[in-house]
Amino acid sequence: MGKLQNYKGIVFDMDGVLRIGNSPIKGSNKLFSRLSGKALIVTNECRRTPQMIKDELSNMGIEIGDTPILTSGIMTFNYLNDIIGQDKNQNTIFNVMTIGEEGLLEVLEELSFLNNYRKITPIFIETALRKNKRFMDNAKYVNYLVIGSINNLSLSLIAQINNYFKVFSNIKVLITCPDKLDPEGCKVIVPNHLIHILNYNKEEIISPYYIGKPNPIVTKYIEKYFDDKKDRNNAEEDIIFVGDTLDTDIKLANEAFFKSILVLS
């Protein structure tokens, strides 16, 4: 492997690569000053906005400068924005109910500028049930349920989700990441945990579509980012992906034909 500066770009996972919890991994504080314009952080974290993550890293002594942070929340926004934006005639209403923390809710709030987007709230669902109003099998509606990682689980939250299925039909369930474990040490309910609970004793099993790593959608964003910043005088074409998880980071790298570095942190 040649010098890092000779490659098109380097992608870093965050948890387990740059930090573990609130502690920086040794050497991570020196990375980004040496990789100006050639680094990208891609994380399946969705509870925080990119700015929140940048501030947390800075508090640990990891200054990333203008390095972009692509969260699974941002990728979910991009995915829905592209789909809704393709309806040029705005003949369809896209109903979206989001289950998640501040980072995901804030990012998806940006969809509000689209005229054919409708944010579905618990109050909307409660009102529809009280008035016995249903939107079943209506071709005018495309319905999404977005599930991100959450800090706490409650029976009222599960009821809220189940009630959404009572008011709308043909709901497409998106989860922000396929992670099976919480990188912060079992303090967080990842989307797969909630899907498992929702599917318990259910006749129609929810089969979600995940947006985060290793979805090829993420690969396309990475390639586009580095292609836009490409130094035409640089003969090297490879992208390096630095991650600590085989099922997400290294799988994405292998399927995208990136070079990969596995961190055993």
Side-chain angles (χ1 to χ4, degrees):
M1 185 177 291
K3 294 181 180 180
L4 293 180
Q5 290 84 351
N6 293 334
Y7 288 86
K8 185 191 294 186
I10 305 174
V11 184
F12 295 93
D13 177 36
M14 183 178 64
D15 292 298
V17 172
L18 302 178
R19 70 179 190 184
I20 297 178
N22 294 321
S23 301
I25 288 180
K26 185 177 180 180
S28 59
N29 61 326
K30 301 176 182 179
L31 282 172
F32 296 97
S33 60
R34 302 176 181 179
L35 296 170
S36 178
K38 299 189 73 171
L40 177 65
I41 298 172
V42 179
T43 172
N44 276 348
E45 162 64 48
C46 67
R47 292 173 302 136
R48 302 171 175 90
T49 64
Q51 186 59 50
M52 292 166 68
I53 293 172
K54 184 176 182 178
D55 292 343
E56 287 183 358
L57 293 175
S58 179
N59 290 336
M60 299 177 199
I62 305 173
E63 298 294 344
I64 66 171
D66 59 356
T67 300
I69 301 175
L70 175 63
T71 67
S72 58
I74 294 291
M75 276 313 312
T76 303
F77 166 81
N78 290 341
Y79 178 81
L80 288 172
N81 184 56
D82 288 346
I83 290 176
I84 299 173
Q86 287 176 3
D87 183 26
K88 302 300 182 183
N89 295 324
Q90 299 183 5
N91 295 324
T92 304
I93 298 297
F94 292 85
N95 298 304
V96 181
M97 179 177 178
T98 304
I99 304 298
E101 300 297 334
E102 178 183 354
L104 181 61
L105 297 175
E106 183 175 320
V107 165
L108 293 191
E109 194 66 35
E110 294 297 316
L111 292 171
S112 298
F113 75 90
L114 297 169
N115 291 331
N116 50 341
Y117 161 81
R118 181 163 62 182
K119 175 182 176 182
I120 301 300
T121 65
I123 293 176
F124 180 95
I125 296 296
E126 291 171 8
T127 303
L129 287 173
R130 187 171 65 252
K131 294 185 176 182
N132 199 28
K133 180 78 171 175
R134 301 291 189 273
F135 304 88
M136 314 301 281
D137 300 318
N138 191 325
K140 181 180 179 179
Y141 301 111
V142 175
N143 310 306
Y144 285 97
L145 171 64
V146 177
I147 298 179
S149 298
I150 55 176
N151 295 330
N152 299 291
L153 182 63
S154 66
L155 291 176
S156 61
L157 179 61
I158 295 174
Q160 176 183 327
I161 296 171
N162 286 331
N163 286 338
Y164 185 40
F165 283 88
K166 294 177 181 178
V167 174
F168 291 93
S169 63
N170 300 319
I171 296 173
K172 302 175 183 181
V173 179
L174 307 178
I175 64 175
T176 55
C177 69
D179 295 8
K180 298 177 181 178
L181 297 174
D182 163 37
E184 296 188 8
C186 299
K187 298 178 182 178
V188 177
I189 307 295
V190 297
N192 270 323
H193 295 166
L194 186 50
I195 291 294
H196 180 74
I197 293 170
L198 293 172
N199 279 336
Y200 179 74
N201 204 27
K202 200 179 185 89
E203 290 185 8
E204 294 187 20
I205 299 299
I206 296 173
S207 298
Y209 180 70
Y210 62 83
I211 304 296
K213 298 176 295 184
N215 191 313
I217 294 173
V218 184
T219 301
K220 290 181 180 179
Y221 183 94
I222 293 170
E223 291 175 332
K224 183 178 185 308
Y225 174 74
F226 287 121
D227 282 342
D228 289 346
K229 300 183 72 65
K230 182 179 177 182
D231 179 0
R232 299 300 173 183
N233 297 319
N234 190 343
E236 294 285 359
E237 295 293 326
D238 289 314
I239 294 173
I240 301 173
F241 200 114
V242 185
D244 70 323
T245 307
L246 291 172
D247 291 342
T248 55
D249 303 322
I250 306 306
K251 182 178 180 181
L252 183 148
N254 289 342
E255 292 179 350
F257 300 102
F258 297 162
K259 292 186 181 298
S260 61
I261 298 174
L262 179 63
V263 179
L264 301 177
S265 56

